[in-house]
Amino acid sequence: MDEVCGFFSKLDIVFILTFGNMRLKLLVFAFILSLTSLFAQQKQLEMEEIWDGTFQTKSLFRLHSLQNGKEYTVMQYGANGRTIDVFDYETGNKVRSLLNTSDYPELQSLFQYSFSPDESLLLLGTDMQPIYRRSVLAVYYVLDIETGELYKIEADKIQEPHFSPDASKIAYAKDNDLFIWDLKTQTTIPVTEDGEKNHIINGIADWVYEEEFAIVRMFDWSKDGNYLAYVRFDESNVPEFSMDIYGQDLYQTQQTFKYPKAGEDNSEVSLHIYSLADKSSKAIDFSNLETNYYIPRLQWTKDAHNLAVQLTNRHQNILDLVYVNPETSEYTKILREEDEAYIDVTDDWTFMDDGSFFWTSERDGWNHLYHYDRNGKLLKQVTKGDWDVTSFYGLDAKRKTLYYQSTENGSIFRDVYSIKTNGKSKKQLSDIEGTNAASFSADMSLYINTHSSSKSPATYTLHQSANGKKLRTILDNSDLLTKLEAYHLPEKEYDTMHISGYDLNMYTIKPVDFDPNKEYPVLLYQYSGPGSQSVSDSWIGANDYWHMLLAQNGYIVVCVDGRGTGYKGAAFKKMTQKELGKYEVIDQIRVAEKLAEESYIDADRIGIWGWSYGGFMSSNAIFQAPDVFSTAIAVAPVTSWRFYDTIYTERYMQTPQENPSGYDNNSPLTHAANLKGNLLLVHGTADDNVHVDNTMKLIEALIQKNKDFDWLIYPDKNHGIYGGYTRLHLYNKMTEYLLNHL
């Protein structure tokens, strides 16, 4: 009836049905019946659909631009196998196939490919075996594209194979050592021989580097192929962590690995350069630098005479860029970044033929592009303003033009820009509001723009780099939008909430039939970690569908990015320094209190949930504001930063020895005695990241305070808690918990 009243008023309908002629009455009845039928046909979201791929978006998988600048490749899945196909940028036509796995039985489980520098060879990965978040073991082959000959690099599974610049060799890691495989002779040369599990790793990141510096391959070829630089990790003094793996056997097994918790010893790292001519390695001595604690990045400059290395101290508030001469093993300090809080390690560094380089930095309070000469002298701050450069796509040297993505139109949006190297002639290339990202052709003349928003799934379009002119649509997801029309889903409503002196980004998901005269329970969702963002105008994911399912069941879902989150400047992001969990929790409590003032919110039914850092937050919130939050779900929560790893935790907190109150005052363990409402704790026993002992210690603290709560443990599941029906089971349980308690 309310929907009908959007067209007729209730008085109109009563009047027509009472005094109208028969024809008019029939028209009104027909109108009401059509609306009733329409709404009866609208589908309710089902949990199985969220997790079985029903709403999956199409994408350009493994997109790669060929050097000719006119073609690109993608990996495609077909009924008979997987193909690597070449497409023409301008026409969109398929030009040829480089590979069809139906022709090669050994490639049926192909998961990745890469080209040799001259694009004559393909490096193909199969039979993937995940190790941690980013690392895998796999069987690798080399395919000669012209002849179709296939070569297996190594009988066993290996890590991170990488072509030499002339494509005559491949360096790779196996059993913690580095090797070089010669394609012509098909012989293998050992680069290192001292690798040993849980002691020495050569060329591959240890656990904490992989997780927190987001890197696995720690070796790189010089541009002339004469040297191989690599980082050696000595884990001998790092404390060992073990996890029971229950499996299917009669007895469980244990997985042991080195995991440095906050304040404990890290791996001792050293940089080495292997000479192919001498078949020997030299260690580089950085002992005179105060930043010789971490080596998070290395990359050869274009002239092959210098290896560029980023070094940081343990607090990560000083970062040095140094050049190492492979012949003399001497280094030169080129650039230093310093900050009272911390420096984010950058992947946005590009070297020019003249030795100059581009680099991103937050030195003026926002992340921007800077141009330095070969000696580290600042030539130009290229971008400037109260917004962040979020991705640096590269340089068109011929046109002296840089391309990047930024938040200039608002921190929840992303747009693509070009700018001259002198900082002039800036152009916004993207023109549709939402999230835009670019993938450029090798010659930088064209780019594929990926656009999405909360109302539009990913659309891939081809554009001219000079002016952003759209040439054609490559791929869209209009069929998904058509499918979703039947569900009559609620939308994300974007706004800001003024909390703690700041306008914080927020979105709200309300029931489609929202009535401001009714009262609704509200569930806060957040992550809240340093530099993170949960509120962005981008296409919805699995959690969004779940939140919409909750809205279809009468809940309001709200997400607010509080202090410490990203893309509002360095000062906003870094204000939580040494106090993780203080200001972020205060902000979520104030959000809940402010929502409770609304007449349509049931102040007695406010809940909060989150995963990982978000679980740390949700448990803290219900403990510290027991009269505000009635229900909380904490999935894989950190319960004390004393239990978490060195690189992440000490970046924001320094060590527990230096900052004990920062660690303990904001720990859920400290406030567990305050629990009054409903709490569900969830964890996987094989979580190598946030160990299950976080939850176990919180469980024990709650038991000893005689607190009632619920908990759910997933055997042999890692931080993502997935595999088979696991995710479906988890979200069914969380839904049931909220329906029963909130």
Side-chain angles (χ1 to χ4, degrees), residues 524-535:
L524 299 190
Y525 167 66
Q526 44 66 56
Y527 179 74
S528 303
S532 66
Q533 184 175 56
S534 297
V535 183

Side-chain angles (χ1 to χ4, degrees), residues 19 117 131 220 225 246 252 270 281 320 331 434 443 552 635 713:
F19 302 107
I131 305 174
D220 197 30
Y246 298 98
Q252 81 273 28
S270 52
S281 294
D320 284 332
Y331 69 85
D443 63 1
Q552 289 181 332
V635 184
I713 295 295

Side-chain angles (χ1 to χ4, degrees), residues 145-208:
I145 296 174
E146 183 177 350
T147 67
E149 291 184 86
L150 191 68
Y151 305 95
K152 193 175 186 179
I153 297 176
E154 169 83 52
D156 300 321
K157 292 184 177 181
I158 62 175
Q159 286 184 270
E160 299 294 321
H162 194 58
F163 280 110
S164 63
D166 65 356
S168 68
K169 300 174 180 65
I170 291 177
Y172 66 89
K174 177 188 171 186
D175 297 332
N176 288 13
D177 276 317
L178 281 176
F179 300 87
I180 294 175
W181 185 60
D182 190 303
L183 277 73
K184 293 179 181 178
T185 64
Q186 295 194 29
T187 57
T188 301
I189 305 168
V191 175
T192 66
E193 297 179 321
D194 61 344
E196 183 181 354
K197 181 177 173 56
N198 287 338
H199 287 284
I200 303 295
I201 311 174
N202 291 290
I204 297 293
D206 67 359
W207 185 94
V208 71

Side-chain angles (χ1 to χ4, degrees), residues 593 596 603-604 606 621-630 674 676-677:
E593 290 172 338
D604 294 326
I606 298 178
I622 197 169
F623 295 159
Q624 295 190 37
D627 295 323
V628 175
F629 295 101
S630 67
N674 298 331
K676 290 171 59 177

